[in-house]
Amino acid sequence: MSDNNVLQDVKSSGTQDLTASLCKDLSIALARFPRVRLGHLPTPLEPMDRLSALLGGPRIWVKRDDCTGLSSGGNKTRKLEFLMADAQAQGADTIITQGATQSNHARQTAAAAAKLGMACHILLEDRTGYEDTNYTLNGNVLMDRLHGAMVSGRSGGTDMNAEMETLAETLLSQGRAPYIIPGGGSNAIGALGYVNCARELAEQAIDRGLKIDALVHATGSSGTQAGLVAGLAAIQSDIHLLGIGVRAPQDKQEQMVYDLAVKTAQHLNAGVSIDRKAVRANCGYVGGGYGIPTDGMKAAVKLLAETEGLLFDPVYSGKGLDGLIDLVRKGHFGDMENIVFLHTGGSAALFGYPDAFDLQGYTE
Ligand SMILES: *Cc1c(COP(=O)(O)O)cnc(C)c1O
């Protein structure tokens, strides 16, 4: 080993020591918040070797937040650990939340409420106009109801926050103690779950001697990305974080993420400041709109199912993957060596879209 290499090693182990100690500080800061354990954490970090070989670029890893364990898993579980604890601390006995018809957030919230012995009311907004009963009743909707939630639909464009407020008033007048969780669990409390995920991932990387260059994931109601932005800032990480949008245009998406990251950092109250430049969204893979399948999503979901044995979803992670794959092919990541795709879950929604994939391989 040349002296240069030795120096390099000393330097990188110095950085690792700093990251490790900042991760410890962040754990302590997070431990001040009430939290109920709902997820199987840490989630695994696995290489996707067949996908990496196929793309011929950087090594691609998957952070398995689809394996959080709560009702088939997903990214809302981490947020709900903090949100449900807050609900309990406030003496709530009933949870109200909202989402799109095939909301993964609604499903995980229904499961969390069931586990904690709370009632759960879910308002589902029809954002796609799909009338297929698989879409309206199977997948996540089936699971919401299995968990005992009261589910009711609203037409597209309804003011869902106003609907939740009205429902809360009705429940209050009936002597219940309702607690409203915003869509996607995305507020400064829920985003703490992804502040914690940033720490968890950084510690996993240290344990393996892995230098993560970029972290990519699907971004929607923005709590996941906002939490990651705040968490990565707290540990002074230079990981290139990129959200792939599933609904809003880029300006709006980045503004939402930035605003929530700032609020999350304030709530964390650990002296973390948010750099607007750390908030990056690519909204070029939304296609026809939220929840509307795209050809790129279909190809990405099929590719990962066939090459890695992994299931992604049509609304979020499939579009996120489409973005990741396309950007790798276009050389967006330059000479980066290790890219992590955060698998935010959602495969339960596949059962709401049984005809979206042009599937072969079945004979009577
Ligand atoms: C909710 C969700 C997202 C987006 O997370 P946000 O915190 O809402 O931005 C991504 N993937 C899946 C599968 C989801 O359910």
Side-chain angles (χ1 to χ4, degrees):
M1 210 193 267
S2 77
D3 286 357
N4 258 346
N5 278 343
V6 173
L7 219 82
Q8 196 60 45
D9 267 18
V10 171
K11 227 175 112 188
S12 70
S13 78
T15 321
Q16 286 206 350
D17 290 349
L18 175 64
T19 307
S21 99
L22 290 168
C23 283
K24 284 218 183 72
D25 294 347
L26 184 53
S27 283
I28 293 165
L30 283 165
R32 302 191 321 259
F33 296 91
R35 176 176 171 192
V36 287
R37 299 292 168 146
L38 297 170
H40 300 172
L41 306 179
T43 57
L45 175 64
E46 299 167 344
M48 296 199 284
D49 286 336
R50 273 164 51 79
L51 178 69
S52 306
L54 202 120
L55 295 177
R59 190 161 196 207
I60 304 180
W61 300 73
V62 58
K63 172 71 172 156
R64 300 290 305 273
D65 274 17
D66 58 320
C67 298
T68 56
L70 184 70
S71 184
S72 83
N75 63 338
K76 305 312 180 304
T77 306
R78 289 186 191 269
K79 302 178 184 182
L80 287 163
E81 290 197 339
F82 290 92
L83 289 161
M84 296 302 279
D86 189 54
Q88 286 183 321
Q90 295 194 20
D93 59 16
T94 305
I95 300 295
I96 300 172
T97 198
Q98 61 99 0
T101 306
Q102 282 294 333
S103 168
N104 303 300
H105 162 68
R107 180 228 330 139
Q108 287 161 85
T109 304
K115 183 174 167 72
L116 299 175
M118 297 164 115
C120 185
H121 291 254
I122 287 170
L123 305 181
L124 295 178
E125 180 189 1
D126 173 18
R127 294 189 199 157
T128 62
Y130 293 159
E131 286 170 1
D132 177 358
T133 53
N134 282 304
Y135 184 77
T136 57
L137 291 172
N138 202 343
N140 283 301
V141 187
L142 168 69
M143 294 157 88
D144 296 342
R145 297 169 69 201
L146 278 172
H147 290 304
M150 301 281 297
V151 178
S152 71
R154 297 290 186 275
S155 53
T158 301
D159 181 344
M160 298 300 282
N161 290 328
E163 293 292 305
M164 290 198 293
E165 292 293 343
T166 306
L167 176 57
E169 280 161 28
T170 306
L171 289 166
L172 262 176
S173 73
Q174 293 167 359
R176 312 287 309 194
Y179 180 92
I180 294 178
I181 294 180
S186 285
N187 60 17
I189 299 169
L192 292 177
Y194 275 88
V195 172
N196 186 45
C197 180
R199 178 207 54 80
E200 181 181 301
L201 181 62
E203 287 185 341
Q204 277 175 321
I206 292 173
D207 285 349
R208 298 192 183 191
L210 174 69
K211 160 110 179 49
I212 298 171
D213 299 303
L215 176 60
V216 180
H217 67 95
T219 181
S221 67
S222 84
T224 301
Q225 191 171 359
L228 290 172
V229 166
L232 292 174
I235 58 170
Q236 297 172 22
S237 167
D238 60 0
I239 292 178
H240 177 96
L241 179 67
L242 176 65
I244 307 291
V246 299
R247 191 178 188 192
Q250 183 182 347
D251 295 3
K252 186 178 172 196
Q253 187 66 30
E254 289 187 349
Q255 195 61 47
M256 275 167 53
V257 172
Y258 176 73
D259 290 347
L260 184 52
V262 169
K263 281 186 196 149
T264 304
Q266 280 165 358
H267 187 57
L268 185 64
N269 196 19
V272 177
S273 62
I274 304 300
D275 182 357
R276 175 64 181 79
K277 289 196 292 297
V279 177
R280 304 175 198 90
N282 182 322
C283 299
Y285 300 90
V286 178
Y290 175 89
I292 313 278
T294 60
D295 288 345
M297 175 284 289
K298 293 178 200 179
V301 169
K302 278 206 76 193
L303 181 68
L304 269 287
E306 290 176 0
T307 58
E308 293 287 349
L310 291 174
L311 293 174
F312 291 83
D313 81 282
V315 182
Y316 295 96
S317 59
K319 288 184 180 177
L321 261 181
D322 178 28
L324 171 73
I325 292 168
D326 190 54
L327 292 169
V328 167
R329 285 187 170 139
K330 286 178 174 158
H332 171 87
F333 298 101
D335 57 7
M336 291 186 189
E337 287 175 9
N338 291 290
I339 301 181
V340 176
F341 186 74
L342 173 66
H343 190 335
T344 44
S347 61
L350 286 169
F351 305 103
Y353 288 80
D355 302 322
F357 302 90
D358 179 26
L359 299 178
Q360 311 292 317
Y362 175 85
T363 40
E364 297 248 338

